[in-house]
């Protein structure tokens, strides 16, 4: 699938290349290996009017005459909509230079016949850059995706929405999805294999939004199995997504259980993560003289800002036997050691509290 270099991808693409209808589309380019995959090239195109950039990756096989060896470079990227021609230099696998776009008149005529008359140079260029072919448009129309706007065509190209992908999702049980839903599925990696994997891990026939949520937050079949192996066998989709969102990992659960919190339920572990209750915080509070502190008290400490330093300051003010609930109450009411000393006549209530 074609990859744009930054998000929001559609906004980046559609906000760029805003030349007038009479101008020629040309500008400068840079190129580098796409990620660590030497079989793809990451291109960055900068329009001559300096109003925008666009980046995308393409397989090396898509180019004609491309060599990334050190020295001068001259190559093309042919599309049905026209041809991008590049001139420049490569050094150390990275290149730079100038490009120009030559539109295809045959493509413009074919697009007019499909309901897109009088393409502007910008629109023509965008359709070429995202490789939106007339065949793709016809095939999508044949399965119900007709009269797509120019913006929607851009999304089709950018995110590689194909009839094959529509069919794949239909086999997974997701028929008649909107184009917006298809784009979201592509962005977040929803595939037949992923849906089948989730079903095999116990989450079959999920609603579309739930499938997206699991993919967005990295709930994989492997993660589900790891969580269930810890004893959380009845978590629903929302609960396991909450685990992932808040970083409830198998390692964290084991650490907290080793710290003595073996009977904490799923909500309790999410609460720990939300409020920053860690094994280190547990250890600090036990060292302050609370060996039997509960999970609820630890969460309350974090919510209301009862820190080890606050405990030390209250004890230095003479309150050596203060309880966790009293500490929370003091924090809620904004009472500190200075106030307590003043109220006790300066001795911190030492005689009363010791």
């Amino acid at each position: 699938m074609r990859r744009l270099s930054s998000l929001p991808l559609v906004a980046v693409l559609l906000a760029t290349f805003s030349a007038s209808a009479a101008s020629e589309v040309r500008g400068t380019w840079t190129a580098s290996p796409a990620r660590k995959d030497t079989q793809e090239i990451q291109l960055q195109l900068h329009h001559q009017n300096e109003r925008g950039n666009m980046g995308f990756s393409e397989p090396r096989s898509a180019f004609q005459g491309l060599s990334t060896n050190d020295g001068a470079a001259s190559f093309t990227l042919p599309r049905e909509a026209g041809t991008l021609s590049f001139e420049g230099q490569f050094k150390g696998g990275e290149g730079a230079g100038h490009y120009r776009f030559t539109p295809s008149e045959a493509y413009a005529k074919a697009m007019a016949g499909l309901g897109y008359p009088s393409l502007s140079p910008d629109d023509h260029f965008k359709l070429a850059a995202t490789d939106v072919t007339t065949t793709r448009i016809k095939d999508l129309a044949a399965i119900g995706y007709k009269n797509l706007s120019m913006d929607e065509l851009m999304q089709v190209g950018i995110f590689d929405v194909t009839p094959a992908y529509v069919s794949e999702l239909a086999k997974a049980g997701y028929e008649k999805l909107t184009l917006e839903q298809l784009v979201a599925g592509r962005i977040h990696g929803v595939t037949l294999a992923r849906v089948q994997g989730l079903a095999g891990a116990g989450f079959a026939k999920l609603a579309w939004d739930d499938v997206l949520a699991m993919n967005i937050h990295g709930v994989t079949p492997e993660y589900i199995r790891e969580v269930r192996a810890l004893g959380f066998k009845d978590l629903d989709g929302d609960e396991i997504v909450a685990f992932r969102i808040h970083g409830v990992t198998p390692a964290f659960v084991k650490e907290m259980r080793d710290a003595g919190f073996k009977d904490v339920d799923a909500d309790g572990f999410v609460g720990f993560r939300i409020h920053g209750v860690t094994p280190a915080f547990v250890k600090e509070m036990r060292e302050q003289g609370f060996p039997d502190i509960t999970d609820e008290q630890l969460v309350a400490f974090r919510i209301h800002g009862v820190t080890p330093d606050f405990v030390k300051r209250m004890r230095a003010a003479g309150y050596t036997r203060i309880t966790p609930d009293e500490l929370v109450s003091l924090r809620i009411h904004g009472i500190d050691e200075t106030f307590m000393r003043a109220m006790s006549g300066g001795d911190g209530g030492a005689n009363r509290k010791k």
Side-chain angles (χ1 to χ4, degrees):
M1 181 172 64
R2 183 167 298 101
R3 292 194 295 270
L4 271 285
S5 60
S6 61
L7 292 174
L9 301 181
V10 176
V12 170
L13 181 64
L14 300 183
T16 192
F17 303 109
S18 54
S20 67
S23 65
E24 181 181 19
V25 178
R26 62 170 61 218
T28 59
W29 62 271
T30 59
S32 60
R35 302 179 184 181
K36 293 183 179 179
D37 185 354
T38 57
Q39 297 307 308
E40 287 193 351
I41 293 293
Q42 177 72 32
L43 276 173
Q44 293 287 336
L45 305 183
H46 181 73
H47 195 273
Q48 63 182 358
N49 63 13
E50 300 183 356
R51 291 185 184 179
N53 297 288
M54 182 173 68
F56 57 93
S57 62
E58 286 290 338
R60 286 175 177 260
S61 60
F63 298 92
Q64 292 184 356
L66 173 65
S67 172
T68 58
N69 295 332
D70 289 1
S74 178
F75 56 98
T76 61
L77 180 60
R79 305 289 206 197
E80 182 189 355
T83 301
L84 280 160
S85 302
F86 301 87
E87 299 285 343
Q89 296 277 332
F90 272 94
K91 184 175 182 180
E94 298 190 350
H98 292 82
Y99 75 86
R100 58 184 172 80
F101 172 62
T102 304
S104 164
E105 292 185 9
Y107 179 83
K109 290 178 181 178
M111 288 295 288
L114 292 175
Y116 304 94
S118 305
L119 293 176
S120 71
D122 285 350
D123 287 340
H124 202 140
F125 173 81
K126 293 172 190 175
L127 292 167
T130 55
D131 200 20
V132 177
T133 66
T134 53
T135 298
R136 174 88 61 93
I137 296 171
K138 292 174 185 177
D139 289 347
L140 286 172
I143 57 175
Y145 300 93
K146 302 177 181 179
N147 303 316
L148 299 180
S149 69
M150 190 58 62
D151 286 358
E152 288 172 329
L153 288 179
M154 294 303 104
Q155 295 177 50
V156 164
I158 292 168
F159 300 110
D160 199 22
V161 177
T162 65
Y165 183 62
V166 176
S167 176
E168 180 180 335
L169 292 183
K171 289 179 182 177
Y174 303 101
E175 298 178 326
K176 298 181 179 179
L177 295 175
T178 66
L179 182 63
E180 183 180 5
Q181 289 173 319
L182 291 168
V183 168
R186 274 302 203 194
I187 291 172
H188 300 297
V190 179
T191 63
L192 176 60
R194 173 54 69 89
V195 173
Q196 291 173 335
L198 292 173
F203 288 95
K205 298 182 180 179
L206 288 166
W208 176 252
D209 287 346
D210 291 334
V211 173
L212 282 180
M214 287 194 174
N215 274 40
I216 288 168
H217 298 293
V219 177
T220 63
E222 293 75 20
Y223 178 74
I224 294 169
R225 286 190 281 270
E226 289 175 348
V227 168
R228 287 187 167 160
L230 294 169
F232 301 105
K233 299 184 183 300
D234 299 320
L235 294 183
D236 63 23
D238 289 341
E239 289 171 327
I240 204 158
V241 167
F243 260 39
R244 199 60 162 161
I245 289 173
H246 299 293
V248 180
T249 63
F252 177 74
V253 172
K254 290 174 182 177
E255 287 177 338
M256 292 303 292
R257 285 177 173 171
D258 289 344
F261 299 95
K262 293 180 173 58
D263 298 323
V264 175
D265 62 12
D267 288 341
F269 279 105
V270 171
F272 281 160
R273 273 309 204 190
I274 289 173
H275 300 294
V277 176
T278 64
F281 184 69
V282 174
K283 182 175 183 292
E284 287 178 324
M285 284 307 176
R286 285 174 174 165
E287 290 173 349
Q288 293 306 313
F290 304 116
D292 300 319
I293 193 166
T294 67
D295 54 323
E296 292 89 351
Q297 289 170 331
L298 285 163
V299 169
F301 272 21
R302 278 302 203 193
I303 291 172
H304 299 292
V306 178
T307 64
D309 180 66
F310 180 71
V311 177
K312 291 176 184 177
R313 287 189 278 115
M314 294 307 299
R315 288 200 170 131
Y319 293 86
T320 58
R321 296 184 182 178
I322 198 163
T323 68
D325 291 343
E326 289 171 335
L327 285 164
V328 170
S329 180
L330 292 174
R331 271 306 203 192
I332 289 173
H333 295 95
I335 298 172
D336 61 14
E337 72 279 7
T338 302
F339 179 85
M340 296 299 281
R341 283 196 177 101
M343 291 299 293
S344 62
D347 65 356
N351 294 328
R352 179 163 49 83
K353 286 285 183 178
K354 285 185 179 177

